Amino acid sequence: MSYKSKFHILEKIRLASSLSVEEYVKLYDPTLIHELGAIANEIAISKHGEIAYYVLNRHINPTNLCVNRCKFCAFSRSKGQAGAFELTIEEIIDKLTSSQIPFTELHIVGGLHPDWKFEHYLNIIKVVRLHFPNIAIKAYSAVEIDYMSKIAGMDIDHVIKSLKDAGLDMLPGGGAEIFESKVRDKLCPEKISGERWLYIMQRAHINGILSNATMLYGHIENYIDRVNHMLKIRELQDKTGGFQAFIPLSYQPINTEIGGKWTSGIDDLLNIAISRIILDNVPHIKAYWIMLGEKISQTALLFGADDLDGTIIEEKISHSAGASSSQSMTEDDLQWLIKKAGKKPVQRDGFYRIVE
Ligand code: V47
Ligand code: SF4
């Protein structure tokens, strides 16, 4: 890109003007990383001051049995395959009650189990809520919600309302992958379409359930696919305002059917900065340290991210695919990473309320 055209595009971003898809795509240029990082950091500061959030949270996966077998997923198994697991509700509660960390947010996602009924998915939420009345329960991706509506023969609104009555607070942002159907058909042909994912999120927001949004990048997509993906999230956010955070998920290639390479640090940071710029209507950009690694996610706090996520405790999805980060971080570690990025660590709960 010529100096003139770089200058012109950066000037437009500084004036908070929207760019065309082609112009956003041009931002994926390593020579722009300093300027984009500085602009994205300014946007984050204008929204959150010098704060960077972390949360005491826990992940749990009730099962890795899945009737979809996405080609980037090293976590899922078919029935009878080595490594397949399904936790009983008692086992889930045992794991949760034996956690050392007093978590305020619980993240529950898993596979599309071939035999479980909707009532089982519902009971998991009911029993967890009974044992943990005060935590935020963030459970079931849009893909799981769609599956529940199929196995229960219920419409999406009915599924969401039943889960909400059982104690669900919000939906995680998984399953979005890349909306572009040409890519999606190659990555995960059995998965719901991008349009369906957006529809389910819209219904969740309308029914009072907030959610996150993700984008899986660094596999076979191109920059146009990434930009279009984020623009679709921005468009829905303009209508509902229901997305709390955007989380770019860097592809982990080990043990997957499509294989491929790890993302580069430069791509990770550019992507964080560009997402902060495009998604100016989404409050938070999460640098998910589990996938980005501790050092890149810390650096991302100066590139537009304002949330490191949390203690996690147990992570299976990206570690099945070779993630080399640890599975858990202490509160001290999270605070240290944030402070060393020159930001003020603030503990949040699932709704981004400050925990005193
Ligand atoms: O939907 C699967 C992704 C997602 C791989 O909402 C992979 O707060 C990288 O959505 N490499 C689940 N990614 C994780 C997720 C999430 C994580 C943390 C926080 C939140 C939130 C949501 O993981 C899946 C899929 O997109 N995934 N395989 C892989 N090999
Ligand atoms: Fe199943 Fe989700 Fe893995 Fe796809 S990404 S195979 S839907 S667990």
Side-chain angles (χ1 to χ4, degrees):
M1 209 191 332
S2 71
Y3 176 75
K4 248 185 156 175
S5 109
K6 273 185 199 176
F7 183 80
H8 176 67
I9 292 183
L10 290 172
E11 244 349 83
K12 273 177 96 171
I13 302 173
R14 285 195 190 98
L15 295 168
S17 317
S18 278
L19 305 186
S20 66
V21 172
E22 294 69 31
E23 286 173 322
Y24 281 129
V25 166
K26 283 186 183 161
L27 300 182
Y28 283 96
D29 175 344
T31 67
L32 290 179
I33 193 160
H34 298 106
E35 284 99 333
L36 290 177
I39 294 170
N41 190 36
E42 283 307 316
I43 299 173
I45 289 170
S46 71
K47 290 182 185 293
H48 309 292
E50 293 292 345
I51 284 173
Y53 295 97
Y54 68 92
V55 61
L56 302 188
N57 65 350
R58 198 203 197 287
H59 282 209
I60 193 146
N61 309 116
T63 182
N64 65 350
L65 282 176
C66 189
V67 297
N68 280 2
R69 297 306 303 274
C70 304
K71 297 182 194 313
F72 54 79
C73 177
F75 161 77
S76 62
R77 294 287 183 279
S78 299
K79 226 175 168 180
Q81 198 183 345
F85 70 84
E86 48 189 311
L87 301 179
T88 62
I89 297 186
E90 292 69 35
E91 285 169 330
I92 292 175
I93 298 300
D94 277 355
K95 267 178 177 275
L96 298 182
T97 47
S98 62
S99 304
Q100 302 296 317
I101 292 168
F103 56 88
T104 60
E105 181 192 271
L106 177 64
H107 173 106
I108 309 177
V109 290
L112 312 179
H113 193 287
D115 308 320
W116 285 356
K117 304 273 177 283
F118 175 52
E119 284 65 36
H120 187 73
Y121 286 95
L122 202 58
N123 272 336
I124 293 178
I125 304 295
K126 277 187 192 158
V127 178
V128 169
R129 177 52 80 210
L130 208 65
H131 283 78
F132 298 92
N134 300 319
I135 60 165
I137 303 181
K138 167 162 64 86
Y140 304 140
S141 70
V143 176
E144 290 166 284
I145 300 290
D146 175 77
Y147 186 62
M148 290 176 210
S149 99
K150 290 204 175 89
I151 56 179
M154 280 159 53
D155 63 27
I156 296 294
D157 279 24
H158 201 159
V159 170
I160 291 171
K161 281 181 195 152
S162 310
L163 290 167
K164 191 177 174 191
D165 290 345
L168 178 81
D169 288 307
M170 61 196 78
L171 299 187
E177 324 310 359
I178 283 282
F179 295 142
E180 168 56 52
S181 59
K182 285 195 200 93
V183 176
R184 210 171 175 84
D185 290 349
K186 287 189 190 134
L187 282 184
C188 44
E190 292 133 326
K191 196 167 243 169
I192 57 169
S193 66
E195 289 70 35
R196 181 80 174 156
W197 187 95
L198 288 160
Y199 170 76
I200 291 167
M201 286 306 185
Q202 182 171 19
R203 295 317 307 171
H205 299 169
I206 287 170
N207 283 293
I209 292 283
L210 297 173
S211 77
N212 292 332
T214 58
M215 174 175 77
L216 178 66
Y217 70 95
H219 39 84
I220 57 167
E221 88 292 358
N222 60 32
Y223 297 136
I224 304 175
D225 301 326
R226 291 191 200 180
V227 167
N228 282 329
H229 184 96
M230 290 187 266
L231 288 174
K232 289 211 165 113
I233 290 168
R234 185 168 85 180
E235 194 181 307
L236 179 54
Q237 180 74 343
D238 274 340
K239 289 188 193 144
T240 66
F243 288 120
Q244 296 204 101
F246 178 69
I247 313 156
L249 300 174
S250 61
Y251 173 55
Q252 320 282 310
I254 309 299
N255 302 323
T256 66
E257 201 177 324
I258 51 168
K261 283 194 162 51
W262 299 94
T263 58
S264 75
I266 299 292
D267 193 21
D268 293 333
L269 293 174
L270 271 176
N271 204 52
I272 289 275
I274 294 167
S275 67
R276 182 61 291 170
I277 290 165
I278 297 183
L279 292 166
D280 55 354
N281 58 356
V282 174
H284 303 281
I285 301 291
K286 197 185 274 192
Y288 184 42
W289 66 265
I290 284 276
M291 290 194 193
L292 291 177
E294 289 86 343
K295 291 186 179 181
I296 291 288
S297 56
Q298 179 195 33
T299 313
L301 297 177
L302 296 173
F303 281 75
D306 62 279
D307 182 15
L308 266 194
D309 203 80
T311 43
I312 311 280
I313 303 179
E314 184 182 338
E315 203 285 332
K316 291 187 191 297
I317 298 179
S318 51
H319 284 85
S320 312
S324 58
S325 56
S326 55
Q327 289 227 6
S328 174
M329 249 207 257
T330 63
E331 184 174 11
D332 269 3
D333 293 340
L334 290 160
Q335 289 186 347
W336 184 84
L337 285 177
I338 293 171
K339 280 187 198 153
K340 288 286 172 187
K343 301 268 173 172
K344 182 178 173 228
V346 168
Q347 192 196 142
R348 66 164 177 90
D349 68 6
F351 295 96
Y352 285 87
R353 290 176 305 213
I354 293 174
V355 178
E356 297 299 344

